[in-house]
Amino acid sequence: MGRSMSGKDKKFAENKVCMSSFDACMQQFNAAADLLDLDADIRSTLCKPDREIAVEVMFRRDDGSLDSLTGYRVQHNNVCGPFKGGIRFHPEVDLDEVRALAALMTWKTALVGVPFGGAKGGIAFDPSEYSHGELERISRRFFREIDPDVGPHRDIPAPDMNTNEQVMAWFMDEYEQRHGHAPAVVTGKPVELGGSLGRAAATGRGVAIITRETAQHFGVDLSGASVVIQGFGNVGSYAADVLYQMGAKIIAVSDVHGGIHNAGGFTIPELIDYVKERGSVVGYPHAESIENADLLTLPCDFLIPAALGGVINESNVDELQCRFVIEGANAPTTPAAAEKLWDKKIRVAPDILANAGGVTVSYFEWVQNLQQLNWTEDQVNKMLEKKLVAAFNRVVALHEKKNVSLRMAAYMVGIKIVAKAFMLRGA
Ligand code: NAD
């Protein structure tokens, strides 16, 4: 299905980001570094990625012609462990965005206490315009191109926007043809190939856990609380499902094709079945349609952006009517909008905390692969819960002690751990 945007959504998208993604990320890093009184040498090292890789991804189209795309892998920092981060297929992928997302991974893995560094990758194209066979050839060629720089103890990719367990299976197979059995080279694989039970749902489950902890901490009853979710892919749909099971009322959801709204709340398992069959939330019965731009400004308790970056920005922040933002997506809030939200007393559970469930269970998958073990879904979910609640408590304690936003507190926790590891290693 092609991507379609209404006039209002187009205007909204054009207004979206006025600052480069990496500059926005560094503005937040510098603010946290100031609060930590971080040593200038360490600060300048952590500002720069360790390695940036750009590759030409040549592949054959179904009609026999040769085509090529540009792919990236940015390895931001590995003082705490091998580089770790997802790979996204999206037309808006560029080096600047990948660089920013890689840095976020460094703070995220440190914050939740998994022994990884930070990386990110992507290919700039719209996968909906390519056949299954073309996607397989693109994925395999990309992984072949970055082969010297990945490995179970070097750099471990995972799924992100528009990539999934099938893409991870192709990556793993491509790598193993050169290096032998090595399932730990990627996470988010199919369970049949060494993937972990609970990994597919992990990011969304984590978003739901952080929503629940936020509700509890700030004295909101989650049962019956209204939730709006932008994006109904891996993160958004699992977050909706787990929050629905927790008793929350999901009143609006959207995907790239459009949004739907029902003030009474959706029966999420039915909506998920509908999306599996039709490929979109659009047209779901007993709902009125809503544009993505309007969905973000609906009155609700919890707004969960779970699609693109920069969607909460100066053009719409004044209109937001939620009580809390739980960042399922990476970098959905620009720094200027984040400041306004703080002034408006809308509390934000930041991306590096709210969506850290994915990398946490990726770590569990990696450990199971290295030890050739298989844990039950219940074991995985319990360990995930423990790690995320511990990270939430650390962030909230610092937020209260220093009177800083939850984002600043989360950055401070993550950056402090990475800076300490850097100092201990020496240069
Ligand atoms: P996905 O491809 O599975 O789903 C993305 C969803 O967003 C789809 O429903 C898509 O239709 C929708 N979407 C795309 N453009 C949109 C637009 N303009 N308006 C509204 N909806 C739009 O991707 P995902 O894995 O769910 O990732 C979503 C976000 O979460 C990304 O920012 C990603 O970096 C972040 N994230 C993902 C994981 C993970 O484990 N998958 C982990 C951490 C963070």
Side-chain angles (χ1 to χ4, degrees):
M1 218 183 315
R3 177 180 165 147
S4 61
M5 259 193 190
S6 70
K8 191 162 180 184
D9 273 350
K10 245 183 219 152
K11 186 161 165 273
F12 161 75
E14 280 158 11
N15 277 334
K16 201 170 76 153
V17 188
C18 355
M19 184 182 216
S20 105
S21 304
F22 191 65
D23 286 349
C25 179
M26 282 304 117
Q27 185 172 325
Q28 284 161 340
F29 166 79
N30 279 316
D34 285 346
L35 289 164
L36 286 167
D37 201 15
L38 200 68
D39 176 271
D41 290 343
I42 296 180
R43 184 192 290 235
S44 73
T45 301
L46 295 184
C47 273
K48 288 178 281 213
D50 286 0
R51 185 175 295 115
E52 297 186 343
I53 303 154
V55 294
E56 191 189 356
V57 184
M58 282 252 284
F59 68 101
R60 206 165 281 286
R61 301 294 308 243
D62 289 341
D63 66 7
S65 63
L66 268 183
D67 206 342
S68 109
L69 299 165
T70 306
Y72 305 97
R73 184 72 176 166
V74 173
Q75 298 174 330
H76 177 259
N77 189 280
N78 66 350
V79 294
C80 291
F83 298 107
K84 183 88 189 85
I87 292 189
R88 101 175 15 178
F89 292 170
H90 195 276
E92 283 174 24
V93 163
D94 61 24
L95 188 56
D96 179 80
E97 183 192 61
V98 177
R99 200 181 272 150
L101 295 169
L104 282 183
M105 286 304 298
T106 301
W107 324 136
K108 189 185 300 183
T109 51
L111 170 63
V112 288
V114 295
F116 289 133
K120 204 81 183 185
I123 308 180
F125 78 119
D126 181 350
S128 69
E129 291 172 2
Y130 294 78
S131 71
H132 187 80
E134 288 171 334
L135 288 178
E136 175 170 358
R137 293 194 286 281
I138 292 166
S139 302
R140 287 183 179 279
R141 182 58 174 237
F142 173 69
F143 219 65
R144 241 177 4 253
E145 294 296 336
I146 63 169
D147 177 276
D149 295 295
V150 294
H153 298 285
R154 186 178 292 267
D155 184 353
I156 306 135
D160 195 80
M161 276 193 91
N162 294 325
T163 54
N164 54 21
E165 54 180 44
Q166 174 61 79
V167 175
M168 296 308 116
W170 291 328
F171 284 168
M172 184 192 88
D173 184 66
E174 199 57 41
Y175 185 83
E176 290 191 342
Q177 288 183 29
R178 281 165 192 71
H179 305 275
H181 183 66
V185 68
V186 288
T187 58
K189 300 176 289 291
V191 172
E192 295 80 355
L193 297 179
S196 177
L197 292 170
R199 174 60 185 90
T203 310
R205 177 174 295 279
V207 169
I209 291 170
I210 296 299
T211 307
R212 185 199 65 208
E213 292 301 301
T214 304
Q216 205 169 309
H217 180 79
F218 291 98
V220 177
D221 187 0
L222 188 59
S223 170
S226 54
V227 178
V228 168
I229 304 180
Q230 184 193 45
F232 207 68
N234 175 274
V235 179
S237 65
Y238 280 111
D241 196 31
V242 181
L243 280 166
Y244 176 79
Q245 288 165 37
M246 290 175 175
K249 197 166 64 168
I250 322 300
I251 61 163
V253 298
S254 68
D255 59 31
V256 69
H257 306 292
I260 53 170
H261 177 219
N262 179 340
F266 293 112
T267 306
I268 295 299
E270 279 177 18
L271 177 59
I272 288 175
D273 285 345
Y274 178 88
V275 172
K276 268 188 199 144
E277 211 175 282
R278 310 282 179 103
S280 171
V281 299
V282 172
Y284 184 65
H286 316 300
E288 55 199 61
S289 62
I290 184 167
E291 291 186 10
N292 259 302
D294 294 329
L295 173 132
L296 291 170
T297 58
L298 279 174
C300 62
D301 293 308
F302 295 96
L303 171 64
I304 305 183
L308 299 172
V311 294
I312 300 175
N313 54 59
E314 278 170 295
S315 77
N316 62 4
V317 65
D318 290 328
E319 294 164 43
L320 255 57
Q321 298 186 70
C322 55
R323 294 172 71 189
F324 301 91
V325 175
I326 311 290
E327 294 186 336
N330 281 311
T333 312
T334 64
E339 273 180 36
K340 285 205 169 169
L341 291 176
W342 174 250
D343 293 342
K344 280 170 69 131
K345 298 203 173 3
I346 296 177
R347 294 294 169 251
V348 181
D351 44 13
I352 62 170
L353 173 66
N355 68 32
V359 76
T360 304
V361 176
S362 275
Y363 164 58
F364 299 155
E365 180 175 330
W366 181 74
V367 170
Q368 290 172 79
N369 292 157
L370 294 179
Q371 300 189 38
Q372 303 190 32
L373 293 173
N374 293 304
W375 299 341
T376 66
E377 190 163 356
D378 192 46
Q379 276 175 297
V380 168
N381 288 346
K382 280 195 178 123
M383 289 191 293
L384 169 66
E385 165 90 23
K386 211 167 155 191
K387 278 226 172 270
L388 288 188
V389 171
F392 179 86
N393 289 339
R394 274 198 297 276
V395 169
V396 157
L398 200 58
H399 152 77
E400 287 183 339
K401 186 170 165 201
K402 302 276 184 193
N403 190 30
V404 293
S405 67
L406 293 167
R407 183 187 319 280
M408 253 329 105
Y411 266 64
M412 287 168 76
V413 173
I415 291 168
K416 196 171 171 187
I417 291 167
V418 178
K420 180 84 190 284
F422 182 84
M423 276 188 316
L424 288 168
R425 280 174 178 268

